Amino acid sequence: MLPDHVQIKESTRAKRLALRLDPKSRIFNLVIPKGMSMRKAMAFAEQHESWMQDRLMDMPSPILLEDGVTIPILGRKRCVDIHYDDSFKRTDIKLSDDYLEVRTNKDKPAERIKRFLKEYAKKELQRLSIEKAQEINKNIKSVSVRDTISRWGSCSHDGKISYSWRLIFAPYEAIDYVVAHEVAHLEHLDHSRAFWSVCRSLSKDYLTGHSWMKEHASDELMRYI
């Protein structure tokens, strides 16, 4: 029997067994190539149990979007300030320099807070994307946000850019780098030297942003639940 932190995921594309951590659910997907015996897959998971436990222990603790918690929003720390009153007709949220103020009639407004942050992330990421696209005389067809796990951004051949809304929790240099990366794809849909040259030119602090995303994004951006 598999432990609670492992779930099976069969794949027609996989060529070997693999354990891949979903940082949002904190569950490992045991990827099994089609046709491989379940006994072999179970033995593989058992052999790597110690490694999985170490990986889970190394992950930062989750952060609940509740009253009194301090969260980074576009590189600036804000305190979540929730005022509850069942006489309120709806949930109103305002963002100031130091606070995310929430007036609500909901006992647990975390999902409403997430919706606000997703909308705010889309607006700011769209604004920054357009600014950078103008620097290289390119047009963006659309900007959207999603709750992706491993891809923080993508750019299609027809100018549609998508981001993870969780970038809102990253340092500003990291956000700026990801936007520069995707906008640079408007000019080069590859990762050639020419692409990286454009990406660096569009980034305010390429080294800091790139390093933070590579070293911290997978764990840090999935903490907020």
Side-chain angles (χ1 to χ4, degrees):
M1 181 179 293
L2 290 171
D4 291 340
H5 55 267
V6 179
Q7 65 182 11
I8 292 173
K9 186 176 182 180
E10 288 190 283
S11 172
T12 56
R13 298 175 63 185
K15 296 183 179 179
R16 60 185 177 83
L17 286 164
L19 284 162
R20 294 174 183 159
L21 176 61
D22 178 341
K24 186 163 59 173
S25 64
R26 297 181 176 237
I27 290 176
F28 285 90
N29 288 312
L30 175 57
V31 182
I32 305 176
K34 189 175 182 180
M36 182 169 287
S37 73
M38 191 58 64
R39 180 179 295 180
K40 185 174 182 179
M42 299 277 280
F44 179 83
E46 186 175 340
Q47 292 168 6
H48 290 82
E49 177 62 22
S50 178
W51 172 81
M52 286 190 285
Q53 291 293 343
D54 289 344
R55 184 71 182 87
L56 291 171
M57 288 291 291
D58 287 342
M59 291 185 70
S61 301
I63 296 174
L64 301 178
L65 297 176
E66 58 186 11
D67 185 51
V69 70
T70 297
I71 61 175
I73 299 177
L74 294 180
R76 186 184 182 105
K77 291 184 178 180
R78 269 92 166 196
C79 179
V80 178
D81 188 17
I82 299 176
H83 300 275
Y84 171 82
D85 191 323
D86 59 11
S87 68
F88 293 153
K89 295 182 179 180
R90 63 179 185 180
T91 298
D92 289 321
I93 302 176
K94 294 181 180 179
L95 186 65
S96 65
D97 287 345
D98 300 307
Y99 293 94
L100 182 68
E101 301 177 54
V102 183
R103 293 168 58 86
T104 185
N105 57 6
K106 297 180 181 296
D107 290 332
K108 297 180 179 180
E111 289 304 314
R112 182 64 186 85
I113 294 172
K114 282 185 188 178
R115 194 193 322 163
F116 172 87
L117 292 174
K118 289 176 183 179
E119 292 169 356
Y120 190 71
K122 179 180 179 179
K123 182 181 72 172
E124 292 301 311
L125 289 167
Q126 184 177 46
R127 177 189 59 79
L128 189 56
S129 298
I130 291 172
E131 287 179 2
K132 291 188 182 298
Q134 288 174 344
E135 291 184 38
I136 56 173
N137 296 315
K138 295 292 182 179
N139 293 317
I140 296 173
K141 187 170 184 179
S142 66
V143 173
S144 60
V145 295
R146 300 175 183 174
D147 196 2
T148 51
I149 294 173
S150 58
R151 295 190 70 183
W152 307 114
S154 64
C155 179
S156 66
H157 68 279
D158 57 353
K160 295 179 181 178
I161 296 179
S162 177
Y163 298 104
S164 167
W165 75 272
R166 292 178 177 275
L167 285 170
I168 198 171
F169 301 118
Y172 188 80
E173 294 84 1
I175 298 169
D176 184 80
Y177 157 72
V178 175
V179 173
H181 186 115
E182 300 312 327
V183 170
H185 277 313
L186 295 173
E187 192 158 297
H188 301 284
L189 271 177
D190 54 30
H191 288 99
S192 61
R193 288 186 178 181
F195 162 81
W196 287 113
S197 178
V198 174
C199 180
R200 287 185 175 87
S201 71
L202 290 173
S203 300
K204 294 187 183 301
D205 190 339
Y206 170 83
L207 290 177
T208 300
H210 180 271
S211 296
W212 193 93
M213 291 301 298
K214 184 177 180 180
E215 297 171 14
H216 304 292
S218 293
D219 288 342
E220 290 295 330
L221 298 185
M222 307 308 283
R223 297 179 70 185
Y224 303 92
I225 60 177

